[in-house]
Amino acid sequence: MTTWITATPPTPNGHLHVGHISGPYLAGDVMARALAADGQDAWYSTGLDDNQTYVPRRSWGEGGTPEETAERYTRSIVDTWAAAGVRFDAIVRPHGIEYESRVRNLFSLLIEGGHVVAQERPLPFCEPCDLWLYEAYLGGKCPHCGAGTNGNACEDCCRPNVCADVVDPFCIRCGATPEPRQTKLHVLPLEPLRDRLVAFWASCDMPERLRAVCRAMAAERLPDILVSHPSDWGIPTEADPALRTYVWLEMAEGYAAEAPPAGHDRLVQFFGIDNGYFHAVLFPAVNLALGRTELLPEKFVVNEFFQLNGSKFSTSRRHAIWASELLPVVGADLLRLHCLLRRPATSRTDFTLDDLSRTEKVLDVWDATFRGVFALDGTATTVDEAALPADLRRSGRAVRAQLDLARRFCRPDDFDPPAAVEQLMAAARVIGSALDEVRAMGPEGTAAAAALRAWTAAFAEAAAPIVPDGSAYLRQACSGTERPARYFGLGVG
């Protein structure tokens, strides 16, 4: 079986922050590594989201062209993934003749099938900036929940808008109140796809928070989605080159471009809840309309917001701790372990340096424990746990059960990274307690020392998807090769 795992493409309008890392990217990497460890085929892919209007918006403040902004931050993003140990099989860049041809063809097929139609609609226009306002160019209040929002979709309630219905609208660039003007646009009406969407929602494994969004939308007439805008940024539509393809419609084809070349048996998608509507509603609607059922996910793995001082991490507002700056200070193992332990799977969690210090102490304890294991005297290589004292036999059963759970929580059916980390921590504590007991046995503890080394080897295998660097060092020590001064975190080797 080949499992295709996707992580939502980041927008290259800034560096990756810790909130990004705690969300789809590390989690998808853990699942891909865990499947590979089981001998299963896994294809892990993502892309970049250059055609978001957040890119030219960032260039307004930094100078230079939007293209230069996208290229600069793309390099930073890719380097940060590598530094954090996040490995992708494919990273699709959203430009070039082949990619743009795919997007234009998608748009044309939707028009030919009657799924996308041209209409005259009102859209906010800023006279001082001579700018049509949509997506990142538009600010205001969500017409559904009243929270602050940009155009086209609300991050708080995950519901779409049509820009003209945003309450108290203003231009992000100059702050002026825009006027609604009629202009040609394209819309994708979702109501004709209702039955197929409802059936898909029933079949897909998704968290209740996202299912509630789908239920709320289905309780009303499903909306028409704006899928083109008058703009000079993005991929022109085949129907009218003056209109640019809505970037989230484009992404439906971007995901298709990431597909494993040899096909797949199931698709698992990772993304933040703020992108929930796009993944659960818009992309499935496009693929259902075109009969591309192979692009329908079996499972959504969704994260809530990771907060900093009580507010969500935000690239556009520069409210963040940048992963590229933190990684050289704390190392990949610590950042991975902490972000996975504190991952906001079902509710918002807060990042604090005190919490990070507590997680660092976990790695310190692991290091002390495993250094102690390898410092034990004894050359026995065979393990007969039945001959161990009762306390150690119980310890062995506990360690195996905890590591089995840690492995299980890294696999698709029961995916739960914080629970996997908790089981690793519990197993390490049991090994540490057993170490104290074996030390007390003195020369009689040879067989018990061999058991501890066996448990340590099992720990290294189970921990590898979570902390791959330290686990690799630990496996080397278990095989009798080099034993570094430290296994996890900075200063290894």
Side-chain angles (χ1 to χ4, degrees), residues 193-253:
L193 298 165
R194 168 182 288 274
D195 291 345
R196 281 177 279 179
L197 279 170
V198 169
F200 166 71
W201 294 333
S203 69
C204 185
D205 181 353
M206 70 176 80
E208 185 56 29
R209 165 96 146 89
L210 184 56
R211 198 173 296 281
V213 172
C214 299
R215 281 199 302 267
M217 291 185 67
E220 307 169 2
R221 182 185 184 278
L222 290 176
D224 297 346
I225 306 301
L226 300 185
V227 293
S228 72
H229 305 89
S231 180
D232 60 0
W233 184 250
I235 297 177
T237 69
E238 196 74 43
D240 185 344
L243 298 175
R244 302 301 171 109
T245 305
Y246 179 37
V247 69
W248 287 100
L249 180 71
E250 172 202 323
M251 198 180 294
E253 190 59 31

Side-chain angles (χ1 to χ4, degrees), residues 265-283:
D265 302 286
R266 62 178 170 184
L267 170 57
V268 180
Q269 291 193 316
F270 285 75
F271 51 89
I273 189 62
D274 52 328
N275 293 329
Y277 141 72
F278 305 114
H279 289 81
V281 182
L282 180 58
F283 301 156

Side-chain angles (χ1 to χ4, degrees), residues 285-411:
V286 170
N287 291 321
L288 287 166
L290 297 179
R292 306 193 304 186
T293 55
E294 74 280 2
L295 297 178
L296 296 176
E298 177 182 299
K299 182 182 182 73
F300 291 136
V301 183
V302 184
N303 60 276
E304 297 284 339
F305 294 137
F306 204 21
Q307 299 185 145
L308 175 64
N309 299 324
S311 299
K312 75 178 283 284
F313 278 84
S314 172
T315 299
S316 59
R317 297 196 310 272
R318 291 302 194 255
H319 179 72
I321 292 178
W322 307 115
S324 58
E325 295 177 355
L326 191 59
L327 276 163
V329 178
V330 304
D333 280 341
L334 176 53
L335 186 64
R336 288 175 71 100
L337 189 71
H338 185 69
C339 285
L340 293 167
L341 179 62
R342 297 287 294 156
R343 186 173 188 271
T346 57
S347 62
R348 298 185 180 194
T349 57
D350 209 36
F351 177 90
T352 70
L353 292 177
D354 285 344
D355 267 352
L356 184 65
S357 294
R358 282 188 281 273
T359 305
E360 185 174 24
K361 288 181 174 62
V362 171
L363 290 184
D364 290 341
V365 170
W366 289 6
D367 262 87
T369 297
F370 298 126
R371 283 200 307 272
V373 168
F374 291 112
L376 290 171
D377 291 331
T379 57
T381 56
T382 58
V383 180
D384 181 8
E385 290 198 16
L388 297 178
D391 284 353
L392 289 177
R393 293 201 302 273
R394 283 192 291 271
S395 294
R397 290 193 295 271
V399 168
R400 284 191 294 275
Q402 289 151 352
L403 296 182
D404 283 346
L405 282 172
R407 285 187 285 267
R408 174 178 163 184
F409 290 138
C410 292
R411 273 62 178 175

Side-chain angles (χ1 to χ4, degrees), residues 139-150 153-158 161 166-167 348:
K141 296 177 183 176
C142 174
H144 304 290
C145 71
T149 189
N150 292 122
C154 173
E155 289 189 352
D156 273 56
C157 70
C158 309
N161 63 65
V166 168
V167 180
R348 298 185 180 194

